[in-house]
Amino acid sequence: MVFFQNLINALQWGSFYALIALGYSMVYSILMLFNFAHGDIFMVGAYIGFGVSTALVSLAAMGAFALPGWLILVLTIIISMFLTSFVGMIVERVGYRPLRDAPRASAAITGLMIGIILETGNLALLGAERVKFPSLIETTTYDLGGVFVTNKKIMIVLVSITLSFALHQFIRRTRWGMAMRAMAFDFAVVPLMGVPLNRMAALTFALGSALAAAAGILFGVAYPVLDPYMGILIGWKAFVAAILGGRGSVVGATLAGFLLGFIEMFVPMIFPSTLRDFIAYTIVLLILVFRPHGFFGEAYSARLRL
Amino acid sequence: MLLEVNELRVSYGNIKALHGLDFQIDEGEIVCIIGANGAGKSTTLKAISRMVPVEAGTKMTFQGKDLLQYQPDKVVSKLGISHVPEGRRLFENLTVTENLMLATFARRDREQIALDIKRVFSIFPRLEERQTQKSGTLSGGEQQMLAVGRAYMSGRKVMLLDEPSMGLAPLLMMSMFEALKEINSQGTTILLVEQNARLALQFASRGYVLENGHMVLEGPSKELLENPDVKKAYLGG
C-alpha cells in the first residue's frame, strides 16, 4: 500500500521535473547553452498563472461570465503558457543572443544573473509576502483499496504526459521540429538551409518557457503557496533530469524527470527522510558516472563553426 | 553580371585571410578558384554566404542587390545562393529525405518542391534508394551527392561548392562533376573552389588563382592550364 501511495506521489513530482527538464534539454541541445534561469522561468510562469487565474476568478465573481473552475484552470494554463513564452523569448533576446559567439562560461553566468534578476524583480514588484494560488477545483479523493489518489494528482500527471507527448510529436513531425533536430546535430550549417537561426532560438525558448509555465501552474494547484525562490531547487533538479535523459531527447528528459521523482519518493521508504536528497542524488551521480551521456543522448557533430 | 565582388577583405582576429579580392561571375558560368591549402578559398565562399563577417570597404552585389544587406539564411532563401560546405556537413541524425526537405525550410511552393526532389533523385538515383536512411549511414560518395542535392533544394541561382572532389575515388569524382554539369545546364551558375586544380580547370570555363589571400591570376581555364606558373605550382610541373 505504502508502495503504491509513494508511486502516486512520485508520478506527481516526476511530472514537475519532466516538464521543466524539457526546456533545459531543448535549449541545451539546440543552442549549446545551459539556461540556468530556467527554474526561475518556472517561478515566473507560476506567478503569471496566479495573476491570470486571479483575474479570471474576480471577473467571474463580478458576473462578467460564468465559468466552472476547471475551465478557468484550463484557460489559465493556456494563457499563461502563451504569456510566459514571451518571457522566455525576451530572456533569449536580451541575455543570450548577444553572447552567442562568446565563451560558453559567459552564457552560463548570464543565466545565473538573469535568474537572480527574475527572483529579486519579483520581490521588488510584489513584495516579500507570499501569494496564494486560487483554488480552482475541489479536491476529490478516490480510495483505490487503501491507496488514496486525488483528482488533482491525476490531472497533473495527465497534463504533463500530454504536453511532453505533444512536444515529441512537434519535434518529430513539423519542419520547425526538423530544423531543431538539425540544429542539435550541427548548429553552424543550419543557416545554409535557409533556416533563420534567431527565430529558431526564440522558438526554442518560447516552447521551453511555455512548458515551464505549465509546470508552475500545476505546482500551484498542488502546493498553492508561491514564493520568488520556489524555482531554484526544483530547477536544479530538473536540470539534473535533463542531463540524465540525454542530450536533446524529449523521451529521455521526460523519463528521467519521472525517475527522479521515483528515487526521491522511494528513498524515504528505506532511509530516514532527512537523508532523502542526499541519497537520491548520490544515486543520480552514480548513474552519470556510468552513463555520462545520459540515457538517450543523440549523436552530434562537435564542430561549432562552418 | 550576376555576382560582383570588390575589395573583399576578411580577418580572423589579427590574421588577415583575404586582402581585397575582386572577381565577378556571369549568369550560367562555371567558375573555379584554385589555390593551396589555407589560401583563403573556403573563406571566400563563406564571405559570399555571409557566414563570416567582412571588413568595411567590401562590396558584393548580386543581381544589382547589395549582398551585405542579407542575413545568411536570406542569402539562401531570398537570393537563391546555395553553399555546399567543406566536409559536406550533413545532418547525420536526419534521413536523406529530411535533409533535402530541411533545405526547403523557407520555401512555400509545395508542388515545385516535389518536382525538385524528383529531379534530385533523377540526378542521383542512389539517393532515392536510400531516402529513408539516416544520412550518417551513407558512403562518402553518397554523402557528397546528398550535400549537392540539399544545396539544389535550398536555392539554385548560384551554387557555391567547397571541394566537391574531396575524399572521392576518381570514378566517383568524375560522375560527381558530370552531375554538376547537368545542374549547370539547367541554369545554375556554379562557383567552386578546389585544391585539385587540374580537375577544377577542366570542369570550369574560367578560373582564379588565390595565393595567401590575394588573387594572383585569372583567365579562361585553357589559358591557366597552359600557364607555366600554374603548371609548376598547382599541376605538378
Side-chain angles (χ1 to χ4, degrees):
Chain A
M1 282 313 119
V2 182
F3 175 84
F4 286 106
Q5 197 62 57
N6 278 328
L7 188 69
I8 304 291
N9 293 333
L11 283 171
Q12 173 180 286
W13 276 89
S15 301
F16 303 142
Y17 294 146
L19 280 180
I20 306 172
L22 288 171
Y24 268 119
S25 182
M26 264 192 293
V27 167
Y28 166 47
S29 69
I30 291 163
L31 302 170
M32 279 284 187
L33 188 73
F34 294 129
N35 173 22
F36 285 133
H38 192 60
D40 295 295
I41 300 236
F42 157 82
M43 176 275 292
V44 170
Y47 271 83
I48 288 180
F50 159 75
V52 170
S53 57
T54 309
L56 288 174
V57 166
S58 49
L59 278 174
M62 278 158 35
F65 44 74
L67 293 179
W70 66 267
L71 194 53
I72 293 188
L73 179 60
V74 171
L75 286 177
T76 299
I77 293 177
I78 294 170
I79 296 172
S80 310
M81 285 176 78
F82 182 72
L83 293 177
T84 311
S85 69
F86 284 95
V87 177
M89 287 193 274
I90 293 168
V91 165
E92 190 274 329
R93 181 69 191 87
V94 176
Y96 290 118
R97 195 178 297 177
L99 294 177
R100 201 170 286 158
D101 294 321
R104 295 297 80 188
S106 308
I109 291 164
T110 300
L112 295 175
M113 289 187 293
I114 293 171
I116 294 172
I117 290 169
L118 290 175
E119 290 154 19
T120 51
N122 179 330
L123 213 53
L125 208 65
L126 298 175
E129 206 166 310
R130 294 177 168 193
V131 303
K132 194 163 179 308
F133 204 89
S135 170
L136 299 171
I137 46 176
E138 291 296 318
T139 305
T140 315
T141 308
Y142 308 103
D143 181 352
L144 306 175
V147 180
F148 295 98
V149 188
T150 65
N151 56 341
K152 288 183 177 174
K153 283 183 181 163
I154 295 174
M155 181 207 64
I156 287 168
V157 175
L158 286 182
V159 170
S160 108
I161 290 176
T162 306
L163 287 175
S164 143
F165 181 74
L167 178 69
H168 183 68
Q169 292 302 312
F170 179 84
I171 289 178
R172 285 288 130 206
R173 298 193 188 280
T174 67
R175 65 196 174 92
W176 296 283
M178 194 158 71
M180 288 164 90
R181 281 184 285 145
M183 284 169 84
F185 186 81
D186 194 341
F187 183 89
V189 210
V190 167
L192 294 185
M193 304 297 110
V195 178
L197 272 194
N198 288 338
R199 259 198 273 165
M200 290 304 301
L203 174 68
T204 306
F205 269 79
L207 286 175
S209 304
L211 294 176
I217 293 160
L218 296 178
F219 190 86
V221 168
Y223 303 97
V225 179
L226 310 181
D227 84 271
Y229 302 104
M230 64 188 274
I232 298 176
L233 189 58
I234 200 170
W236 283 114
K237 290 178 174 178
F239 174 59
V240 170
I243 299 299
L244 204 56
R247 193 175 175 285
S249 169
V250 171
V251 177
T254 308
L255 290 181
F258 282 108
L259 178 70
L260 277 198
F262 286 117
I263 297 177
E264 284 189 357
M265 288 301 146
F266 284 103
V267 164
M269 283 180 73
I270 307 162
F271 302 97
S273 64
T274 43
L275 295 184
R276 191 191 73 178
D277 280 3
F278 171 74
I279 293 173
Y281 289 89
T282 305
I283 295 173
V284 173
L285 185 71
L286 286 176
I287 297 177
L288 278 177
V289 166
F290 291 105
R291 285 203 69 101
H293 297 291
F295 298 129
F296 293 95
E298 271 198 48
Y300 65 101
S301 155
R303 290 176 287 197
L304 290 175
R305 288 175 196 290
L306 191 67
Chain B
M1 202 62 63
L2 188 65
L3 173 69
E4 188 161 9
V5 176
N6 289 310
E7 287 293 301
L8 171 57
R9 285 173 210 278
V10 175
S11 294
Y12 296 113
N14 289 327
I15 302 154
K16 290 201 186 308
L18 301 177
H19 299 265
L21 307 188
D22 299 300
F23 60 96
Q24 55 278 314
I25 300 163
D26 266 325
E27 185 131 23
E29 274 196 301
I30 300 180
V31 177
C32 69
I33 300 176
I34 60 173
N37 210 351
K41 304 189 300 295
S42 293
T43 302
T44 307
L45 296 191
K46 286 183 222 171
I48 297 171
S49 49
R50 307 286 289 117
M51 296 299 286
V52 294
V54 299
E55 288 183 18
T58 299
K59 267 201 255 163
M60 294 197 276
T61 44
F62 180 76
Q63 291 184 318
K65 298 184 193 101
D66 181 4
L67 197 69
L68 297 177
Q69 298 301 316
Y70 290 80
Q71 294 283 316
D73 62 291
K74 300 291 184 290
V75 170
V76 182
S77 60
K78 299 267 188 245
L79 299 179
I81 301 178
S82 60
H83 185 160
V84 181
E86 191 176 6
R88 302 170 196 131
R89 304 292 284 266
L90 296 175
F91 302 107
E92 295 179 16
N93 57 338
L94 304 187
T95 66
V96 168
T97 308
E98 284 177 325
N99 268 278
L100 295 173
M101 286 308 292
L102 182 66
T104 67
F105 186 87
R107 290 175 58 179
R108 292 290 174 275
D109 47 344
R110 279 169 173 263
E111 286 97 38
Q112 189 60 41
I113 289 173
L115 289 178
D116 288 347
I117 290 233
K118 277 201 185 125
R119 183 99 202 97
V120 169
F121 286 156
S122 86
I123 300 171
F124 302 115
R126 290 289 282 278
L127 294 183
E128 186 165 22
E129 292 163 27
R130 310 210 181 283
Q131 44 182 309
T132 57
Q133 254 174 261
K134 292 257 160 97
S135 66
T137 66
L138 301 181
S139 74
E142 289 161 350
Q143 291 197 358
Q144 187 62 49
M145 293 173 198
L146 182 54
V148 171
R150 197 174 64 164
Y152 183 85
M153 297 303 295
S154 67
R156 77 200 82 116
K157 276 191 188 138
V158 178
M159 196 181 280
L160 310 173
L161 290 147
D162 199 333
E163 306 267 359
S165 76
M166 193 164 67
L168 297 187
L171 212 63
L172 270 174
M173 211 155 25
M174 293 322 292
S175 65
M176 175 53 67
F177 277 88
E178 285 304 316
L180 291 174
K181 271 230 159 82
E182 192 182 336
I183 289 170
N184 171 253
S185 70
Q186 308 277 325
T188 301
T189 306
I190 289 181
L191 172 63
L192 86 155
V193 306
E194 262 293 347
Q195 274 194 68
N196 189 334
R198 185 183 305 280
L199 184 70
L201 288 170
Q202 282 165 356
F203 171 64
S205 56
R206 282 197 305 126
Y208 291 87
V209 180
L210 190 59
E211 257 179 40
N212 298 318
H214 297 273
M215 287 293 195
V216 292
L217 261 176
E218 62 170 284
S221 297
K222 282 200 186 82
E223 278 176 31
L224 291 178
L225 280 165
E226 297 304 318
N227 182 301
D229 292 335
V230 174
K231 272 187 172 169
K232 199 165 144 224
Y234 301 105
L235 304 174

